[in-house]
Amino acid sequence: MSTLAHTMMTAARSADSGLAGPGELDRYPFADAPAVDRVGVPVWEGADPELGRVGRRTAGSRGRGLHGQLVQQLGQMIVSGDLGADRPLVPEEIGQRFEVSRTVVRESLRVLEAKGLVSARPNVGTRVRPVSDWNLLDPDIIEWRAFGPQRDDQRRELSELRWTIEPLAARLAAGHGRDDVQQRLGDMVEIMGHAMAQGDALTYSRADTEFHALLIQVSGNRMLEHLSGIVSAALQVSGGPVTGCDRPTEVSLAHHGRIVDALAAADGGAAETAMRQLLTVHPEVERVVPAPREH
């Protein structure tokens, strides 16, 4: 077996160390949470080595195994610009370079086409599409941009988008007094506190991700709920403009607790204010997304 194929298969097996989905945190003891492996995927014709440094995996449609790894590699190369717009992608050439079957290549290109990254036409073949055609709200594309040359723009845009989505979701959620969800949100804050005390950043991140996903889901707005994947993706990329969710601190934990208290009191204004405070825990953020004026 070639080194390339062995690396891709090893990376596929490590996919189980990705983030837990909503409701799965109970399976992870605080101190025993599995470590996240950073797998460097081989590059193709001079692609930026940093493109292989994707850490926490998003819950996108890459799948697993060789197919999933090929989608990730090609997606990163397109988003980074190493495979520029209108660049032809020849399945046979891709299969030879990555030592995968034609079936794997075909299925991978279909996934990329669904994300708007490539187009396949009779008598033209498969070509890379311009940025204007990409589905920029796709969690995988968000991740690839966040770890590529566009990292600063992507993280700034995510911060700005979160400022639009999450305070509104917090306000709306306060009017939907679902005791089960409020209890679950409280549980997430408790887990975050335990994880922070034990220096368990992975468990903290998982609880934080579920907290924000639940909050949006209970807002009662289907369109906001549809955008919850964006917030989850934003929480899974590190660095760049930071918010109170990027670094476990007592202050950020307290803001999460205040949101839960405001929901229990059905106080939408307090929930919205606490969320805005959470998103500006670190002063660097205010230079990226200024806080709105109070009326």
Side-chain angles (χ1 to χ4, degrees), residues 225-293:
E225 183 176 343
H226 186 71
L227 297 176
S228 63
I230 299 171
V231 174
S232 296
L235 290 167
Q236 291 170 28
V237 296
S238 59
V242 292
T243 70
C245 298
D246 291 316
R247 297 173 185 171
T249 66
E250 293 288 349
V251 175
S252 64
L253 186 64
H255 286 314
H256 283 87
R258 291 189 186 100
I259 293 171
V260 174
D261 293 341
L263 296 182
D267 188 339
E272 181 178 0
T273 297
M275 179 60 76
R276 291 192 184 281
Q277 291 173 339
L278 173 60
L279 295 177
T280 52
V281 164
H282 300 294
E284 303 96 297
V285 178
E286 297 187 273
R287 296 199 295 269
V288 180
V289 187
R293 296 177 180 177

Side-chain angles (χ1 to χ4, degrees), residues 137-195:
L137 300 183
D138 182 282
D140 285 338
I141 295 180
I142 288 174
E143 180 186 278
W144 295 333
R145 290 186 72 205
F147 284 93
Q150 304 172 48
R151 61 178 68 85
D152 291 338
D153 287 341
Q154 178 64 96
R155 288 162 180 161
R156 174 183 54 78
E157 291 167 2
L158 284 173
S159 294
E160 292 170 348
L161 199 54
R162 289 187 66 189
W163 262 83
T164 302
I165 295 173
E166 296 198 75
L168 174 60
R171 173 181 284 276
L172 295 176
H176 294 265
R178 287 183 51 185
D179 292 339
D180 59 332
V181 176
Q182 289 180 11
Q183 178 61 48
R184 187 65 181 170
L185 289 169
D187 291 343
M188 292 303 101
V189 174
E190 183 178 353
I191 290 174
M192 290 162 68
H194 281 288

Side-chain angles (χ1 to χ4, degrees), residues 54-229:
V54 176
R56 289 164 281 185
R57 299 171 62 90
T58 58
S61 56
R62 283 197 296 267
R64 304 203 176 186
L66 295 177
H67 159 247
Q69 290 300 306
L70 184 58
V71 168
Q72 178 176 338
Q73 178 69 6
L74 292 177
Q76 288 175 317
M77 295 174 70
I78 292 171
V79 168
S80 73
D82 285 314
L83 297 177
D86 209 36
R87 166 76 178 264
L89 299 178
V90 182
E92 292 77 11
E93 180 182 346
I94 295 173
Q96 291 175 1
R97 290 184 181 277
F98 289 94
E99 301 181 19
V100 294
S101 69
R102 297 175 66 178
T103 299
V104 169
V105 175
R106 182 171 59 251
E107 292 303 315
S108 299
L109 291 176
R110 284 179 180 172
V111 172
L112 295 175
E113 184 173 19
K115 297 177 184 296
L117 295 178
V118 305
S119 62
R121 296 182 183 139
N123 303 321
V124 175
T126 301
R127 291 182 176 272
V128 176
R129 297 169 71 172
V131 178
S132 58
D133 291 342
W134 299 354
N135 178 8
L136 296 179
L137 300 183
D138 182 282
D140 285 338
I141 295 180
I142 288 174
E143 180 186 278
W144 295 333
R145 290 186 72 205
F147 284 93
Q150 304 172 48
R151 61 178 68 85
D152 291 338
D153 287 341
Q154 178 64 96
R155 288 162 180 161
R156 174 183 54 78
E157 291 167 2
L158 284 173
S159 294
E160 292 170 348
L161 199 54
R162 289 187 66 189
W163 262 83
T164 302
I165 295 173
E166 296 198 75
L168 174 60
R171 173 181 284 276
L172 295 176
H176 294 265
R178 287 183 51 185
D179 292 339
D180 59 332
V181 176
Q182 289 180 11
Q183 178 61 48
R184 187 65 181 170
L185 289 169
D187 291 343
M188 292 303 101
V189 174
E190 183 178 353
I191 290 174
M192 290 162 68
H194 281 288
M196 186 170 64
Q198 297 188 18
D200 185 354
L202 179 58
T203 296
Y204 186 99
S205 174
R206 284 172 167 159
D208 191 27
T209 298
E210 180 160 345
F211 180 96
H212 289 269
L214 283 171
L215 189 65
I216 292 175
Q217 290 166 15
V218 78
S219 69
N221 185 306
R222 293 292 181 86
M223 296 188 73
L224 281 180
E225 183 176 343
H226 186 71
L227 297 176
S228 63

Side-chain angles (χ1 to χ4, degrees), residues 42-56:
V43 295
W44 179 15
E45 286 191 344
D48 186 349
E50 188 170 349
L51 293 176
R53 293 178 56 249
V54 176
R56 289 164 281 185

